[in-house]
Amino acid sequence: MLSLTLREAISKLKDGSLSAAELCEKCVTRAKRVQELNFIVTDNFSQSQKEAVHSARLWSEYVSGRHNEWRKFGGIPFAIKDNFCTKDIRTTCASHILNNYVPPYTATVVQKLQDAGGVIIGKTNMDEFAMGAGSTDSIFGPVRNPWNYEFAQSGEEQDKTNDWHIAGGSSGGSAVAVATGASFGAFGSDTGGSTRNPAAYCGVVGFKSTYGRLSRHGLIPLVNSLDVPGIFAKSVDDASLLFNAVAGHDTRDSTTVTDSIETFTLPDDISVKHLHIGIPKEYHAPGMSPCVLEAWRRAADLFDRAGAKVSEVSLPHTQFSIICYSVLCCAEVASNMSRYDGIEYGHRAKNEDSTEELYAATRHEGFNDVVRGRILAGNFFLLKRNYDNFFIKAQKVRRLIAEDFRQVFGGGMDILLTPTTLTEAPTYSWFTEVDNRTRAEEQDVFTQPINLAGVPAITVPASLSQSGLPIGLQFIGPNFHDKEVLTVAKWFEQQTNFKRLDLSHLDKS
């Protein structure tokens, strides 16, 4: 049952061969069985099961013909990254400063999901305030990748001496929720690759839409000009279903596109003969593992054999994107984090000798070193004497990076094909040998230029490495060509027939 895709589950709910209540119960059982992966920080098991029982009654009435209305995701479990506000469910951003925060409202994309009948199984673990690329910097501890993981037998204690692979970040918990079968889809956020990176490491689909297609209302901001709600799914079809359900203009988010969005269904019979696929030469980056390079080469050959034209292209300003991203990220972080002062909500220090000391103590106690470091760097970049040399210059470089993509797509390219990550998922011990900033710069090299340009991109599992870990490849398209990106990704998915992680043996132990 948990091996079904979202599309398959909906089909079975519609014909009455599957019960929403049973489906939710199976997901809850699986989530509890794999809880040692540390991917859920606040569970909503009881409430989700109650809602699923209600949805099961509605489906039964629909199947029996007593009414003609049905909700697309009625009773189907989903997981939500812990930086999306959820009314009456704790939302922490994996930080001490919001450890006991319960929002009075729900983020727009989450609300749309619930309006379509989806139930929230839990809030997922992440890097604190989404600052990281491994989901290792959380007050709840790191997220563990289920691939090649040695699960403890029922009743046994977890062996904490064994090394394991990271889930990627910053939305690692959401990726693990989908990969393990504990949910049929999940939301993450994507500021520089935080959806696509963990999707690649965990062998699931990760979709970052065109900036402005999905509302950011209720997504606790990291970098307003880069943040995009991300979608995790088992298949490209599932990602398309979720995108169509939650996309559209939101009066509470002025950055959403006001043009109406036509819903679409991806075709099953897809031809790529008319396509021109671009291979950016700058993405042959130092440190790329042979298995990723080979997967990239095989994918290009696959398109070539299918009749598509495959050509090398240049995105000349890619080399400056990491520095540009770092400056803009820190500058906006410094601004966004200023709201956490211990006065209106969140953690409040006991030091009340003065307002300034209260602010300082609250923020020192509430933020980890990574967050404080970015705040300090951002305020430095925004100083009057530095503003033009750092922030303004970074904005100019960002425009050049976006122009690179516009010129490539305007020159006849339909889709760009790139790796998503330099390697397969690294081990936790290796990843934590150096600081967060260094690892983030390494891990985001292929993903953050897409956020700077605002274009859509999707990660699709391509193959397994020699060590049995997933390798994901990334498809990038022009602005507002989300459907085309999803269609090409679905064709590639059909050709590779990647075998998803099977944890059914855990249900018997």
Side-chain angles (χ1 to χ4, degrees):
M1 186 184 297
L2 298 185
S3 63
L4 295 172
T5 64
L6 176 59
R7 184 183 186 182
E8 292 167 344
I10 292 172
S11 178
K12 288 184 175 294
L13 288 169
K14 285 182 69 177
D15 66 21
S17 61
L18 181 64
S19 162
E22 184 182 3
L23 186 66
C24 187
E25 183 181 355
K26 289 284 188 182
C27 286
V28 168
T29 300
R30 175 64 61 82
K32 291 178 178 178
R33 180 63 185 86
V34 298
Q35 63 183 348
E36 63 192 89
L37 299 175
N38 198 31
F39 67 103
I40 289 182
V41 296
T42 302
D43 73 69
N44 194 43
F45 297 154
S46 179
Q47 182 61 30
S48 64
Q49 287 180 290
K50 290 178 183 177
E51 293 174 7
V53 169
H54 175 68
S55 291
R57 287 197 295 266
L58 295 179
W59 280 114
S60 178
E61 291 175 4
Y62 169 78
V63 172
S64 63
R66 278 178 279 174
H67 68 71
N68 296 322
E69 296 181 3
W70 59 282
R71 295 193 296 173
K72 182 182 292 185
F73 303 136
I76 298 177
F78 296 92
I80 309 297
K81 187 177 180 179
D82 205 27
N83 59 348
F84 285 88
C85 289
T86 44
K87 186 178 181 180
D88 299 329
I89 304 176
R90 186 178 67 148
T91 300
T92 71
C93 285
S95 174
H96 283 297
I97 209 156
L98 289 178
N99 195 21
N100 294 312
Y101 176 61
V102 179
Y105 68 99
T106 296
T108 296
V109 291
V110 179
Q111 188 61 61
K112 285 185 175 182
L113 186 69
Q114 291 180 302
D115 291 344
V119 299
I120 299 174
I121 198 173
K123 304 296 291 294
T124 58
N125 205 353
M126 55 184 282
D127 286 299
E128 183 166 334
F129 279 101
M131 299 185 200
S135 295
T136 56
D137 288 310
S138 163
I139 61 170
F140 304 104
V143 182
R144 297 166 181 242
N145 194 320
W147 287 84
N148 286 2
Y149 186 78
E150 295 183 14
F151 288 92
Q153 296 298 312
S154 182
E156 292 183 357
E157 287 191 9
Q158 173 191 336
D159 184 357
K160 297 183 179 180
T161 61
N162 287 339
D163 203 2
W164 39 269
H165 298 277
I166 65 165
S170 63
S171 311
S174 290
V176 171
V178 176
T180 57
S183 73
F184 280 80
F187 284 148
S189 60
D190 197 310
T191 307
S194 288
T195 292
R196 289 160 287 149
N197 173 290
Y201 283 161
C202 293
V204 298
V205 172
F207 180 48
K208 176 243 174 241
S209 61
T210 301
Y211 184 86
R213 281 298 198 194
L214 301 183
S215 172
R216 293 184 298 108
H217 173 71
L219 169 59
I220 296 174
L222 174 63
V223 183
N224 300 66
S225 67
L226 301 175
D227 292 343
V228 174
I231 295 172
F232 290 95
K234 295 180 181 180
S235 71
V236 177
D237 257 331
D238 290 358
S240 176
L241 281 171
L242 286 166
F243 173 72
N244 278 281
V246 301
H249 177 61
D250 181 8
T251 56
R252 291 164 295 186
D253 178 6
S254 61
T255 63
T256 51
V257 179
T258 55
D259 296 344
S260 60
I261 298 177
E262 293 184 6
T263 58
F264 55 83
T265 301
L266 300 181
D268 290 323
D269 186 15
I270 302 169
S271 173
V272 297
K273 289 183 179 180
H274 62 288
L275 292 181
H276 196 171
I277 307 296
I279 308 294
K281 64 181 182 180
E282 289 81 8
Y283 282 53
H284 287 271
M288 186 189 301
S289 69
C291 60
V292 172
L293 183 60
E294 176 62 18
W296 190 17
R297 184 194 62 77
R298 285 200 307 266
D301 290 344
L302 190 64
F303 278 98
D304 185 58
R305 290 195 301 270
K309 184 179 180 181
V310 181
S311 304
E312 184 179 76
V313 297
S314 178
L315 300 169
H317 295 95
T318 297
Q319 59 181 312
F320 307 115
S321 61
I322 280 289
I323 297 299
C324 173
Y325 172 82
S326 298
V327 173
L328 295 177
C329 177
C330 291
E332 291 199 43
V333 163
S335 175
N336 280 325
M337 295 298 115
S338 64
R339 72 193 69 191
Y340 304 107
D341 54 18
I343 302 299
E344 295 183 70
Y345 52 82
H347 173 73
R348 181 180 182 132
K350 295 180 180 179
N351 187 336
E352 298 186 0
D353 294 341
S354 70
T355 304
E356 289 78 10
E357 290 187 22
L358 172 63
Y359 287 171
T362 295
R363 291 159 70 79
H364 179 77
E365 295 171 10
F367 294 136
N368 68 6
D369 292 341
V370 176
V371 178
R372 293 200 301 270
R374 292 202 191 186
I375 292 171
L376 287 169
N379 282 315
F380 174 81
F381 297 144
L382 294 173
L383 288 172
K384 184 178 179 180
R385 67 175 184 269
N386 297 329
Y387 189 80
D388 288 342
N389 284 333
F390 288 93
F391 185 71
I392 295 299
K393 189 172 289 185
Q395 291 283 29
K396 291 177 179 179
V397 173
R398 178 181 182 176
R399 186 176 62 187
L400 293 173
I401 292 169
E403 187 61 29
D404 284 347
F405 283 96
R406 279 194 290 270
Q407 288 185 4
V408 165
F409 291 126
M413 290 296 160
D414 297 299
I415 296 290
L416 299 181
L417 169 63
T418 77
T420 307
T421 57
L422 282 168
T423 66
E424 67 270 50
T427 61
Y428 176 74
S429 60
W430 178 87
F431 189 83
T432 53
E433 283 177 358
V434 298
D435 61 279
N436 176 292
R437 178 184 171 182
T438 301
R439 288 296 185 231
E441 289 178 354
E442 293 170 352
Q443 302 300 315
D444 292 345
V445 63
F446 300 136
T447 53
Q448 46 75 31
I450 285 79
N451 295 80
L452 291 170
V455 295
I458 188 170
T459 289
V460 182
S463 60
L464 294 178
S465 68
Q466 289 183 342
S467 54
L469 294 169
I471 297 170
L473 294 178
Q474 179 175 232
F475 297 90
I476 310 163
N479 274 320
F480 306 113
H481 284 65
D482 302 81
K483 179 183 177 182
E484 288 75 11
V485 171
L486 287 162
T487 301
V488 173
K490 180 176 177 178
W491 178 86
F492 179 74
E493 181 182 64
Q494 290 172 336
Q495 310 310 307
T496 55
N497 196 26
F498 179 82
K499 187 177 181 181
R500 292 189 293 271
L501 182 65
D502 181 7
L503 296 180
S504 57
H505 63 281
L506 296 177
D507 301 329
K508 304 169 186 176
S509 59

